[in-house]
RNA sequence: GCCGGGGUGGCGGAACGGCAGACGCGGGGGACUUAAAAUCCUCUGCCGCAAGGCGUGCGGGUUCGAAUCCCGCCCCCGGCACCA
């Protein structure tokens, strides 16, 4: 526990900062701007250690940039719509609104206890009508641009959350809801979508983004672009055709069958009468299976022959048409060409049903025999008519040309990403501003009638239908076009809509004639630095990039990328190495820690524990190290002067420290300036742990120096002030107290960041390592600044080195100025 | 399977291709104290009495010199996964 009275100090300064408006933001200040954004939290009720782990280092960075002279905008808010509030209402009868705002109040208190320097007057709460009104406005703009549309389609449904989900919210091998881990099922529903696929290619352009590689990889993978050829097959003996998509047109001569997805519309028409019963049975099974949890990870590739044949577009050969559920109706054209020789799935399928397997790309060393596995790599074409002998990459181009020349297909691009399903059958969200009129059909609510208010008095029944559907007053309305009776859309929006543009709203959160001030956004966005968890790698970050592009196309912003720089902090696990959860009983409560150690120690430890981007178990013991450090800082800077008789004052500035080498003002200043350099560089790169380590070393040397006459010199004063300033971003309270006790009137947090003097940090002498065949044998002090040759001469002249080399022939000598000399003998 | 990130003391972690293990935790020894706490000093990778040797997941390579670069493996974490 700290030896200084941290409780009083932290309380005092938090109150003082608030009273004096220390962190109020002035958008028109002439200083260079810095927009620092951290992902706003969901108001779950408590600020847990994970929140601290992202917020406190981000706050330290805000303070650091402020001291460096930037006009820092560091806002906070609450992502306040969402299921937990509604579930609390169902379970405990608390209204979501009351529940949410009570939680927000508590979290604000906790954030203050952390000493966070947020621009509170710019706070945004998304469940406030003054915020969600603009979600509705954006929806209408999207609608106008054809980017919002309603579609009847099979969609993912979470039976626990009782709502549909976006594809991004269905995770893992067994397709569970990302929120509650329940396996999702398919439902056919009429739902609203945002057309994110219109921006698929643009979203793949990550140029200029300083983002963690894994986030880029996840987005790239999610969008799933692939280039290939889409072409038409003729059904033998019929007018019908169908299209397939392939990335391996070079293997087209290897097609020995084709497969349609069971749901493919053509199946109905082409199935031969004698195959119908079997085909129907299979389709039925497939349909049911997609609704049932996949029990087995074993993927059996089975299927059924339809009795129909397709015609190979180049060879004219008759190819049996099968249906199989390994072909997905949702991807590509819902049909494939089966090339068993060169595709693992087709190979399995062909084996199972004894379909011919042809080799059209020769594996290395192939002698013309049968394959025992599909050869999926590239190679030289064989058995491919006029294309035989060509390498795969050339053949792909030639065959694509051929397909296009014959007019049976074209080069095409497919994406794995689907449009963003935004309808939710829940209450606690933004009402979708649409009205259905018997006469006029789907009618958007006119902009001047926004917001469509979420009624307070809904019934919360987990029926699987939106509670708004049962709210007569909400449901029934008049058509904005014809004035006749009409019904409102009762679904609400995915809460990811709320978080797709909130950083613009922060700039002017109460503006009531536009979502944000376009002029201010021009000056203050894109965000200079974004921090937050990697769990949002695909959803929030991808949606935000999409939104920003639409905003750009609307002329509201002038950039495509909202967050040019992104930093993902790690995840703090419980001491047992598992994710913290109440059921495991491994939750570390930051309030308890703050009570015991104070906010400064908790902040400091979170930043010292490990590199910020790394997660890992909470180490219960380590926090005492930071507490010790702050105690030492306190003693060094604040405690009473040592008594006159205590120390060898007589030796003045050159006094010898207890047990240490001569340590004078010059050395002290050198150390001070080196520490400034180190801490400045480390903080700029979020290397809080090594910055703190440097300050720990510094404080230890100061503690020694203090006991000597050095403790009365100007160099001492400079050192103590520097330490206080360097530590201020990380531990804002203790440093503020120290700063004032050192005799200053204004806040440590408005001081300019200390600068180091390069002239002061250079050494007169350097230690040179002398190696023999790469092994360290001696260390020598030599004058600094010697060049290669001078260094070698100096080293060779040293008697110890001569002893080392006596009787040996130096074959080579490598001298690295300032570092080492290596003799190869 | 594919993609991304990692493997360094008892533990968390430091190290522009140049002294491996900074800093901290834990541990040993000591000072102060009636005692304890606090503080301070000191030691603490492994083997060895020592000289010395061995050490950054494993095996090779490049280099005067590799934790760091290259090749091939192994293991751990995260993401995606019948996407044609």
């Amino acid at each position: 526990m700290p030896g200084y009275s941290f409780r009083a100090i932290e309380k005092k300064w938090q109150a003082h900062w608030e009273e004096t408006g220390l962190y109020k933001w002035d958008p028109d200040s002439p200083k260079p701007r810095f927009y620092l954004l951290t992902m706003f939290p969901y108001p779950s009720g408590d600020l847990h250690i994970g929140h601290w782990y992202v917020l406190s280092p981000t706050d330290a960075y805000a303070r650091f940039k402020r001291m460096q002279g930037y006009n820092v905008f560091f806002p906070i808010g609450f992502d306040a719509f969402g299921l937990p509030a509604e579930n609390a209402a169902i379970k405990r009868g608390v209204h979501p609104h009351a529940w949410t705002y009570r939680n927000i109040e508590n979290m604000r208190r906790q954030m203050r206890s952390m000493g966070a320097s947020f621009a509170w007057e710019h706070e945004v709460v998304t469940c406030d009508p003054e915020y969600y009104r603009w979600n509705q406005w954006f929806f209408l703009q999207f609608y106008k641009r054809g980017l919002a549309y309603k579609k009847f389609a099979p969609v993912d449904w979470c039976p626990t959350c009782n709502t549909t989900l976006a594809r991004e919210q269905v995770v893992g091998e067994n397709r569970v809801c990302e929120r509650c881990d329940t396996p999702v099922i398919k439902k056919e529903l009429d739902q609203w979508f945002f057309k994110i696929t219109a921006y698929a290619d643009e979203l793949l352009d990550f140029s200029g983004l300083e983002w963690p590689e894994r986030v880029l990889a996840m987005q790239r993978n999610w969008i799933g672009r692939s280039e290939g050829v889409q072409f038409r097959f003729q059904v033998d003996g019929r007018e019908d055709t169908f299209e397939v998509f392939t990335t391996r047109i070079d293997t087209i001569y290897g097609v020995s069958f084709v497969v349609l997805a069971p749901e493919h519309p053509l199946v109905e028409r082409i199935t031969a009468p004698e195959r119908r019963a079997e085909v129907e049975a299979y389709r039925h099974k497939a349909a049911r299976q997609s609704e049932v949890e996949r029990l087995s990870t074993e993927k059996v590739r089975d299927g059924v022959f339809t009795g129909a044949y397709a015609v190979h577009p180049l060879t004219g050969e008759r190819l049996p048409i099968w249906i199989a559920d390994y072909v997905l109706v949702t991807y590509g054209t819902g049909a494939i060409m089966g090339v068993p020789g060169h595709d693992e799935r087709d190979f399995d399928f062909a084996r199972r049903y004894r379909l011919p397997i042809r080799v059209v790309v020769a594996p290395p060393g192939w002698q013309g025999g049968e394959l025992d596995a599909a050869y999926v790599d590239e190679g030289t074409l064989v058995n491919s008519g006029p294309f035989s002998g060509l390498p795969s990459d050339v053949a792909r181009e030639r065959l694509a040309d051929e397909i296009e020349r014959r007019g049976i297909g074209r080069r095409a691009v497919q994406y794995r990403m689907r449009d963003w399903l935004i309808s939710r059958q829940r209450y606690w969200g933004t009402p979708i501003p649409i009205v259905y009129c018997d006469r006029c059909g789907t009618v958007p609510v006119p902009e001047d009638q926004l917001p469509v208010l979420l009624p307070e008095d809904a019934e919360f029944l987990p029926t699987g239908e939106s509670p708004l559907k049962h709210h007569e007053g909400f449901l029934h309305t008049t058509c904005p076009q014809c004035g006749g009776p009409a019904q409102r859309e009762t679904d609400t929006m995915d809460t990811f809509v709320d978080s797709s543009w909130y950083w613009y709203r922060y700039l002017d959160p109460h503006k009531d004639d536009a979502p944000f001030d376009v002029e201010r956004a021009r000056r203050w966005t894109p965000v200079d630095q974004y921090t937050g968890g990697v769990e949002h790698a695909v959803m929030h970050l991808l949606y935000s990039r999409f939104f920003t592009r639409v905003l750009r196309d609307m002329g509201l912003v002038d950039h495509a990328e909202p967050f040019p720089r992104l930093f993902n902090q790690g995840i703090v696990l419980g001491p047992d190495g598992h994710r913290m959860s109440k059921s495991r009983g491994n939750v570390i409560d930051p309030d308890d820690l703050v009570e015991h150690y104070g906010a400064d120690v908790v902040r400091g430890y979170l930043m010292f524990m490990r590199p910020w981007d790394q997660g890992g178990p909470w180490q219960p013991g380590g926090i005492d190290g930071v507490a010790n450090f702050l105690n030492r800082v306190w003693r060094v800077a604040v405690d009473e002067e040592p008594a006159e008789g205590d120390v060898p004052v007589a030796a003045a500035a050159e006094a010898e420290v207890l047990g240490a080498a001569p340590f004078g003002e010059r050395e002290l200043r050198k150390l001070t300036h080196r520490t400034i350099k180190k801490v400045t560089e480390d903080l700029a790169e979020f290397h809080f742990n090594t910055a703190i380590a440097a300050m720990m070393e510094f404080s230890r040397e100061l503690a020694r120096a203090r006991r000597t006459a050095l403790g009365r010199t100007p160099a001492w004063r400079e050192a103590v002030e520097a330490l206080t300033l360097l530590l201020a971003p990380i531990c804002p309270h203790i440093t503020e107290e120290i700063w004032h006790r050192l005799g200053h009137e204004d806040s440590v947090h408005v001081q300019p960041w200390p600068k180091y003097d390069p002239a002061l940090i250079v050494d007169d002498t350097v230690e040179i390592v002398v190696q023999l065949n790469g092994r360290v044998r001696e260390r020598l002090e030599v004058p600094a600044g010697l060049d290669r040759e001078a260094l070698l001469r100096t080293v060779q002249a040293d008697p110890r080195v001569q002893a080392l080399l006596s009787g040996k022939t130096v074959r080579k000598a490598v001298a690295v100025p300032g570092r080492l000399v290596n003799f190869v003998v």
Side-chain angles (χ1 to χ4, degrees):
Chain A
M1 214 200 281
Y4 59 96
S5 49
F6 63 86
R7 282 197 193 85
I9 289 174
E10 293 182 355
K11 228 176 129 182
K12 173 172 89 180
W13 290 115
Q14 282 163 15
H16 189 259
W17 296 333
E18 208 160 316
E19 279 163 26
T20 54
L22 189 61
Y23 305 117
K24 278 219 159 68
W25 173 58
D26 171 12
D28 301 314
S29 149
K31 293 179 194 170
R33 84 156 208 236
F34 198 89
Y35 191 161
L36 178 62
L37 182 70
T38 187
M39 293 177 186
F40 64 168
Y42 177 79
S44 54
D46 270 309
L47 216 55
H48 56 74
I49 202 77
H51 289 120
W52 276 73
Y53 197 57
V54 62
L55 296 179
S56 55
T58 307
D59 178 61
Y61 193 70
R63 293 170 180 279
F64 171 61
K65 294 303 273 189
R66 258 184 225 116
M67 290 172 79
Q68 282 194 319
Y70 289 91
N71 180 19
V72 173
F73 182 42
F74 182 40
I76 192 72
F78 295 93
D79 189 10
F81 269 138
L83 278 182
E86 198 169 338
N87 291 339
I90 292 165
K91 234 188 265 168
R92 297 201 286 275
V94 202
H95 194 277
H97 187 274
W99 185 86
T100 302
Y101 277 88
R102 202 173 59 206
N103 289 347
I104 288 175
E105 200 41 60
N106 189 47
M107 288 171 80
R108 285 186 188 130
R109 176 190 63 74
Q110 289 173 305
M111 287 176 188
R112 288 195 165 95
S113 84
M114 182 192 298
S117 60
F118 295 124
W120 282 107
E121 69 282 7
H122 285 262
E123 185 196 55
V124 153
V125 178
T126 59
C127 64
D128 193 313
E130 81 172 359
Y131 186 85
Y132 71 70
R133 150 182 198 180
W134 299 106
N135 284 342
Q136 296 173 336
W137 185 83
F138 280 122
F139 179 94
L140 296 175
Q141 310 311 310
F142 279 41
Y143 185 76
K144 264 191 239 167
R145 302 180 150 255
L147 294 172
Y149 65 93
K150 200 175 198 192
K151 184 174 72 174
F152 188 76
V155 295
D156 295 304
W157 172 272
C158 173
T160 300
C161 297
N162 273 309
T163 183
T164 51
L165 302 172
R167 288 256 315 161
E168 288 78 9
Q169 290 170 298
V170 179
V171 297
E173 199 170 352
N174 28 358
R175 299 180 47 75
V176 299
C177 168
E178 58 104 16
R179 196 171 282 280
C180 70
D181 286 340
T182 309
V184 302
I185 59 174
K186 285 276 177 207
K187 278 198 176 188
E188 301 256 332
L189 288 170
D190 213 11
Q191 300 281 287
W192 285 95
F193 292 84
F194 280 165
K195 204 169 186 172
I196 191 171
T197 53
Y199 290 82
D201 256 330
E202 235 201 292
L203 290 169
L204 275 170
D205 179 8
F206 301 104
S207 49
L209 292 190
E210 285 179 57
W211 283 23
E213 192 50 48
R214 60 180 163 163
V215 176
L216 301 182
M218 281 190 231
Q219 293 208 353
R220 214 175 273 128
N221 179 68
W222 187 258
I223 295 167
R225 181 183 204 273
S226 52
E227 285 180 21
V229 172
Q230 188 167 320
F231 67 93
R232 210 161 45 240
F233 275 100
Q234 179 80 42
V235 179
D236 189 35
R238 299 182 64 98
E239 288 297 296
D240 295 306
T241 63
F242 62 92
E243 293 209 313
V244 300
F245 172 76
T246 179
T247 55
R248 291 298 303 272
I249 195 70
D250 53 315
T251 65
I252 190 171
Y253 281 85
V255 178
S256 56
F257 58 95
V258 295
V259 188
L260 306 181
E263 303 88 348
H264 197 288
L266 199 61
V267 175
E268 191 67 36
R269 285 216 295 281
I270 61 168
T271 301
E274 71 276 14
R275 311 289 313 164
R276 189 155 295 270
E278 213 181 326
V279 166
E280 279 311 311
Y282 187 85
R283 295 184 86 185
H284 193 245
K285 186 188 107 187
R288 206 181 55 238
Q289 224 171 23
S290 62
E291 283 190 19
V292 176
E293 182 183 358
R294 290 188 195 189
L295 295 171
S296 163
T297 48
E298 189 79 16
K299 276 155 192 158
V300 184
R301 284 178 194 119
D302 63 354
V304 172
F305 177 45
T306 62
Y309 290 84
V311 182
H312 192 293
L314 301 185
T315 66
E317 188 186 355
R318 286 174 91 228
L319 306 166
I321 302 175
W322 287 66
I323 61 170
D325 66 1
Y326 81 88
V327 176
L328 308 174
V329 73
T330 49
Y331 182 80
T333 60
I336 62 155
M337 61 180 203
V339 185
H342 306 285
D343 181 282
E344 281 168 26
R345 295 151 300 183
D346 297 345
F347 186 86
D348 279 3
F349 195 75
R351 272 264 174 103
R352 189 179 178 91
Y353 297 109
R354 304 191 192 291
L355 296 160
I357 299 173
R358 291 184 198 129
V359 178
V360 292
V361 178
W366 182 65
Q367 298 294 321
E370 273 185 33
L371 299 176
D372 47 14
Y375 176 70
V376 299
D377 291 339
E378 309 207 338
T380 303
L381 268 64
V382 293
N383 302 324
S384 296
F387 301 92
S388 294
L390 294 174
S392 292
D393 53 349
V394 175
R396 260 201 302 274
E397 294 307 313
R398 296 273 183 87
L399 278 157
D401 290 343
E402 178 67 13
I403 296 283
E404 288 178 348
R405 193 184 63 76
R406 293 189 182 212
I408 51 174
R410 67 206 129 75
R411 287 176 171 85
V413 176
Q414 289 289 339
Y415 301 92
R416 211 138 57 205
M417 181 172 68
R418 304 263 81 87
D419 276 338
W420 174 14
L421 195 171
I422 61 148
S423 300
R424 295 292 177 274
Q425 290 68 47
R426 297 298 298 234
Y427 164 75
W428 196 233
T430 305
I432 293 174
I434 288 287
V435 162
Y436 302 106
C437 168
D438 287 342
R439 245 184 299 173
C440 312
T442 301
V443 183
V445 174
E447 285 175 29
D448 59 12
Q449 288 176 30
L450 298 183
V452 176
L453 282 173
L454 190 62
E456 293 274 312
D457 53 342
E459 286 284 333
F460 306 109
L461 301 169
T463 58
E465 286 190 318
S466 172
L468 295 178
K469 208 166 204 162
H470 305 284
H471 189 287
E472 298 289 314
F474 180 84
L475 181 65
H476 300 294
T477 185
T478 52
C479 172
Q481 258 171 41
C482 70
Q487 295 198 338
R488 285 193 190 280
E489 168 66 61
T490 54
D491 285 350
T492 53
M493 292 183 206
D494 183 359
T495 56
F496 279 109
V497 174
D498 311 359
S499 53
S500 291
W501 63 281
Y502 73 106
W503 61 98
Y504 296 113
R505 185 67 181 172
Y506 273 146
L507 294 169
D508 194 357
H510 305 297
K511 191 169 178 62
D512 61 7
D513 59 350
F516 55 88
D517 185 317
V518 169
E519 184 43 40
R520 191 174 282 184
R522 227 179 280 287
R523 283 185 293 123
W524 275 88
T525 56
V527 167
D528 293 288
Q529 177 69 56
Y530 199 21
T531 65
V534 73
E535 65 272 19
H536 292 115
V538 172
M539 294 181 276
H540 163 56
L541 291 170
L542 194 59
Y543 296 148
S544 296
R545 295 179 66 221
F546 161 58
F547 246 75
T548 302
R549 281 167 171 76
V550 178
L551 264 48
R552 175 206 57 197
D553 291 348
M554 289 166 64
L556 296 177
V557 302
D558 54 9
H559 51 267
E561 290 295 344
F563 319 123
R565 281 165 57 89
L566 171 70
F567 189 94
N568 288 136
Q569 84 285 357
I571 296 167
V572 186
L573 303 173
D576 57 359
H578 290 103
R579 219 188 169 96
M580 285 189 200
S581 71
K582 279 181 190 139
S583 56
R584 272 188 201 273
N586 62 351
V587 175
I588 299 296
D589 181 359
D591 281 3
D592 293 347
L593 293 171
V594 172
E595 178 61 27
H596 189 76
Y597 290 100
D600 284 340
V601 171
V602 178
R603 292 170 61 110
Y605 181 53
L606 287 169
M607 291 182 240
F608 180 64
M609 195 164 55
R610 54 171 64 98
W612 194 24
D613 58 353
Q614 240 173 73
W618 174 262
Q619 301 275 324
I623 193 166
D624 290 312
V626 174
N628 290 341
F629 163 57
L630 292 192
N631 280 336
R632 190 164 59 218
V633 171
W634 180 264
R635 279 197 308 276
V636 161
V638 169
D639 275 359
E640 322 75 47
E641 291 285 306
E644 278 294 315
D646 263 11
V647 285
V649 173
E654 293 302 319
E656 196 150 312
V657 180
L658 302 170
F663 192 80
E665 274 195 82
R666 206 186 127 107
E667 280 72 26
L668 179 56
R669 295 203 72 198
K670 187 191 285 182
L671 183 60
T672 301
H673 285 256
R674 282 194 173 165
T675 307
I676 293 171
K677 181 172 194 280
K678 172 78 177 149
V679 172
T680 306
E681 288 167 358
D682 283 352
L683 291 188
E685 292 169 61
F686 305 119
H687 296 164
F688 300 102
N689 57 333
T690 48
I692 293 170
M695 288 189 270
M696 283 174 165
E697 286 183 75
F698 187 35
S699 76
R700 206 179 44 206
E701 293 306 320
L702 290 187
R704 289 154 154 259
R706 182 169 192 280
R707 282 179 251 133
T708 73
L710 208 48
R712 300 217 182 7
T713 60
W716 167 263
R717 175 82 184 183
E718 178 190 44
V720 170
E721 296 208 337
L723 176 60
T724 309
L725 293 165
L726 295 176
L727 188 58
I730 291 165
C731 303
H733 310 89
I734 185 176
T735 47
E736 184 77 305
E737 179 71 18
I738 290 171
W739 189 249
H740 283 78
R741 291 201 186 205
L742 288 173
H744 296 284
E745 292 293 322
D746 52 356
S747 172
V748 71
H749 302 296
V750 300
Q751 303 307 312
W753 188 250
K755 284 203 163 46
Y756 69 91
D757 181 348
L760 285 173
I761 64 177
V762 295
D763 285 308
D764 299 335
T765 62
V766 287
E767 193 186 61
I768 292 291
V769 168
V770 181
Q771 295 182 333
L772 220 55
N773 294 336
R775 309 180 86 91
V776 180
R777 293 296 139 152
E778 284 293 346
R779 287 143 208 265
L780 301 180
E781 281 293 321
V782 305
L786 295 182
D787 66 14
R788 207 170 288 272
E789 276 165 27
L791 174 63
L792 195 53
R793 269 201 309 278
T794 309
V795 168
Q796 275 170 328
D798 188 272
R800 281 180 294 168
V801 173
Q802 286 174 354
L804 205 61
L805 295 174
S806 73
K808 298 185 175 80
T809 317
V810 175
R811 291 196 291 128
K812 187 174 181 180
V814 182
V816 182
R819 292 209 179 268
L820 56 66
V821 175
N822 186 17
F823 294 104
V824 184
V825 295

